[in-house]
Amino acid sequence: MSHGHIARGAAHDLRVEGTGVENESGRVLLDVQDLSVEFRTGGGVLEALSGVNLTVRQGEVVAVVGESGSGKSVTALGVMGLLGNGRVSSGRIMWDDYTDLATARPKNFRAIRGNDIAMIFQDPMTSLDPLYTVGNQLSEALRLHRRMRRREARAEAIDLLGMVGIPDPGSKVDAYPHQMSGGQRQRVMIAIALACSPRLLIADEPTTALDVTVEAQVLSLLRDLQRDKNVSLMLITHDMGVVAEMADRVVVFYAGRVAEQGTVDDILQNPRHPYTQALLRAIPRPSTPRDEPMPAIAGNVPALHEMPAGCRFADRCPLVHDRCVEQPPHVAISSEHSTACWLATDDRSSAVLEGSPA
Ligand SMILES: Nc1ncnc2c1ncn2[C@@H]1O[C@H](COP(=O)(O)OP(=O)(O)OP(=O)(O)O)[C@@H](O)[C@H]1O
Ligand SMILES: [Mg+2]
């Protein structure tokens, strides 16, 4: 490891010690504030995210959940500056208190993404280059981000492959992606993400393509890395079992907005948004065969071009009432727990968070 890496690691440790509190109120690394993202398409401008707020603190695991199309990947890609034909139309993406990634100059942005923030993509096959060995791809990252020389980078690549549990890393370093199993490719993706020793790792459904045993291994690998290296993890998943196992806090997306967020206990034991409650009811039992479809929530997520003006869950909500034609504000249930539902505003113990309804 380079000296720079060691020094940076030490500085983090000091900061965490200095606060005296770890995960509950550690320092905020990523602070997404009121983020909206639009895509220009042939059919006009579509708003994929609308007023999203979320934070990730040092060393914690934040799970991001929600149905397909709810904006989980767009949030991650926004943080990574990889929105393609999309753009941030409002809001801020504060990194470590001082850089707004939504407006940062490309040069500053590149220094952060790759060095401080790394992402494991939803589909490892599309993000590994089939023409290069995994060793080449790891070395490339090490030479770029840690300025290693060729020989040093190869040795570190082998170390990293071993660290993520690839058997016989000394020979696998020369394999091409198609010569590896799906689980091994996913581990290579994790190794590449770790090559830059990030402070935040964003993992977008890192295990969907894997079978149950390998899934458990990859998740426990991510958890070990998070604990041992105090890396923050933003884990995108639609699997509430994974949430229960891994997360410190949970952010529930619905149709491009945050419906509810809180600690893992808040969300699993005391969900306040009818959507979260429905998601939890839809968890397959352990006895359910894997290929059986999840007991789905009736109805569909509204399409981007026909979002209702009020609560976006209203037409599927079992508790829908008159007020839901207006957009519900975010209501604080506790300092960590908030939900965007009119029902929570009736509760005297909760307070509407400042700002306009979002
Ligand atoms: N490049 C794009 N151009 C137009 N629309 C897009 C683009 N990328 C995403 N979207 C739209 O933005 C919305 C959110 O997509 P996103 O990929 O974030 O969903 P997701 O929550 O990650 O879903 P999944 O669980 O299926 O991965 C979807 O309606 C999607 O169609
Ligand atoms: Mg996605």
Side-chain angles (χ1 to χ4, degrees):
M1 271 184 206
S2 72
H3 292 299
H5 174 68
I6 291 166
R8 204 169 58 182
H12 290 178
D13 294 345
L14 284 178
R15 283 197 209 124
V16 172
E17 264 170 33
T19 64
V21 267
E22 320 263 86
N23 288 345
E24 263 86 44
S25 52
R27 105 197 217 100
V28 171
L29 269 189
L30 177 71
D31 190 2
V32 174
Q33 302 169 358
D34 196 31
L35 181 67
S36 298
V37 166
E38 350 174 289
F39 288 100
R40 260 168 221 292
T41 68
V45 176
L46 297 176
E47 194 181 57
L49 291 185
S50 176
V52 165
N53 287 294
L54 66 86
T55 56
V56 181
R57 297 174 192 141
Q58 171 107 35
E60 76 173 345
V61 180
V62 175
V64 173
V65 301
E67 274 164 301
S68 186
S70 58
K72 306 181 299 293
S73 294
V74 169
T75 303
L77 294 171
V79 172
M80 295 302 289
L82 298 174
L83 285 172
N85 60 329
R87 68 173 194 105
V88 172
S89 52
S90 70
R92 304 202 296 175
I93 305 173
M94 297 307 291
W95 173 250
D96 206 14
D97 252 356
Y98 57 85
T99 311
D100 181 2
L101 296 176
T103 55
R105 288 158 175 242
K107 190 175 156 219
N108 297 341
F109 203 92
R110 272 197 300 275
I112 292 171
R113 159 182 143 203
N115 284 327
D116 283 340
I117 312 178
M119 178 161 168
I120 304 170
F121 291 89
Q122 210 161 351
D123 177 0
M125 241 358 224
T126 57
S127 23
L128 288 174
D129 190 328
L131 299 178
Y132 291 91
T133 65
V134 299
N136 284 146
Q137 296 181 59
L138 266 167
S139 300
E140 174 76 18
L142 290 164
R143 292 174 64 182
L144 189 70
H145 296 297
R146 300 215 333 236
R147 302 191 185 286
M148 288 187 176
R149 288 158 179 263
R150 196 177 293 270
R151 187 184 291 258
E152 190 190 5
R154 183 179 164 88
E156 178 73 9
I158 294 172
D159 277 358
L160 281 167
L161 289 176
M163 191 201 284
V164 297
I166 301 273
D168 191 13
S171 69
K172 274 287 192 280
V173 71
D174 294 317
Y176 288 87
H178 72 267
Q179 296 170 315
M180 306 188 111
S181 72
Q184 287 173 341
R185 284 197 288 264
Q186 198 56 279
R187 286 164 198 266
V188 171
M189 285 302 303
I190 296 174
I192 291 175
L194 292 176
C196 61
S197 46
R199 297 167 67 189
L200 170 65
L201 183 58
I202 302 177
D204 191 352
E205 311 246 15
T207 59
T208 15
L210 308 177
D211 69 47
V212 198
T213 327
V214 183
E215 169 177 49
Q217 290 166 355
V218 169
L219 288 173
S220 91
L221 167 67
L222 284 174
R223 191 169 31 212
D224 291 350
L225 291 167
Q226 176 259 331
R227 283 192 190 144
D228 299 348
K229 298 188 176 279
N230 204 29
V231 175
S232 307
L233 182 62
M234 179 167 148
L235 179 65
I236 300 175
T237 177
H238 56 253
D239 184 334
M240 291 304 255
V242 170
V243 170
E245 194 110 326
M246 301 277 294
D248 296 308
R249 287 190 304 117
V250 185
V251 183
V252 181
F253 274 66
Y254 186 79
R257 290 183 185 275
V258 173
E260 179 162 12
Q261 56 182 310
T263 66
V264 69
D265 287 343
D266 292 333
I267 299 300
L268 296 183
Q269 312 300 331
N270 184 26
R272 299 297 293 271
H273 198 290
Y275 175 63
T276 315
Q277 294 165 357
L279 261 190
L280 290 168
R281 276 196 300 272
I283 297 180
R285 306 222 175 112
S287 57
T288 315
R290 253 224 154 194
D291 32 341
E292 204 161 278
M294 282 223 314
I297 303 170
N300 291 309
V301 184
L304 292 185
H305 61 275
E306 52 188 21
M307 281 298 168
C311 174
R312 294 180 173 186
F313 188 57
D315 65 344
R316 300 170 81 186
C317 183
L319 302 173
V320 64
H321 57 289
D322 295 348
R323 292 203 76 177
C324 307
V325 296
E326 281 171 66
Q327 191 177 294
H330 285 279
V331 178
I333 312 291
S334 69
S335 62
E336 295 286 338
H337 190 184
S338 66
T339 183
C341 176
W342 285 113
L343 293 172
T345 60
D346 302 336
D347 182 343
R348 278 152 175 266
S349 63
S350 48
V352 174
L353 293 175
E354 58 179 323
S356 58

